[in-house]
């Protein structure tokens, strides 16, 4: 079993580098896909699963953009694990990952600013990780009261 703190630690390690590399590989097609993904995040999904899919699309695009297939596979694996964890704790997805959480990272990537992209992705990973750990704690508290 992989714990949420372990998942958080790995995301903080690999995602900033992924964003850093992606910033050097921006094309008009990637720019459009990233902007479309950001827009899709602003519309809540009808299910937790679909909501997670919308909120992870940016990560999959950045992983593809980075140009390193091994890093892309790592990010994809981490995103799949994240989805499983989120679905298990049944969180308020708007509180867990509010719309706009990817905006600063994507802006930095599209500007070609690799260092800022890495810093912004680090901030994102920290904010999301803290939210996820809080959601997990809340889930376990509720579960212990009801069951």
């Amino acid at each position: 079993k992989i714990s949420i703190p372990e998942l958080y630690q790995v995301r903080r390690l690999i995602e900033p580098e992924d964003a850093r590399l992606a910033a050097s590989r921006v094309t008009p097609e990637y720019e459009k896909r990233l902007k479309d993904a950001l827009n899709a995040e602003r519309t809540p999904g009808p299910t937790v699963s679909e909501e997670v899919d919308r909120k992870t699309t940016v990560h999959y695009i950045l992983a593809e953009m980075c140009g390193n297939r091994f890093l892309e596979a790592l990010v994809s694996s981490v995103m799949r694990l994240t989805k499983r964890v989120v679905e298990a704790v049944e969180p308020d997805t708007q509180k867990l990952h509010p719309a706009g959480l990817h905006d600063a990272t994507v802006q930095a990537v599209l500007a070609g600013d690799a260092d800022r992209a890495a810093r912004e992705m680090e901030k994102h990973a920290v904010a999301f990780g803290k939210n996820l750990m809080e959601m997990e704690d809340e889930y376990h508290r509720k579960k212990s009261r009801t069951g």
Side-chain angles (χ1 to χ4, degrees), residues 25-90:
R25 299 176 51 91
V26 178
T27 65
E29 179 190 342
Y30 281 133
E31 180 176 4
K32 180 182 182 336
R33 288 175 59 199
L34 284 169
K35 287 179 178 179
D36 289 347
L38 287 181
N39 287 333
E41 287 183 10
R42 293 178 186 349
T43 305
T47 66
V48 170
S49 179
E50 290 178 61
E51 181 75 13
V52 172
D53 288 344
R54 288 178 190 201
K55 301 274 173 91
T56 57
T57 299
V58 164
H59 293 276
Y60 285 108
I61 295 168
L62 293 175
E64 182 182 322
M65 286 175 72
C66 84
N68 181 314
R69 289 175 293 195
F70 188 72
L71 186 54
E72 181 179 359
L74 287 173
V75 170
S76 294
S77 177
V78 167
M79 289 300 110
R80 285 191 305 276
L81 286 169
T82 300
K83 182 177 181 175
R84 287 178 41 203
V85 168
V86 169
E87 289 173 338
V89 298
E90 302 170 349

Side-chain angles (χ1 to χ4, degrees), residues 2 6 11-12 19 26 37 40 65 73-74 80 82 88 104 107 112 118 120 127-129 135 139:
I2 296 172
E6 290 170 326
R11 286 186 67 161
R12 283 190 67 193
V26 178
M65 286 175 72
L74 287 173
R80 285 191 305 276
T82 300
Q107 288 169 2
E120 294 299 340
F128 177 76
M135 294 285 175
Y139 172 79

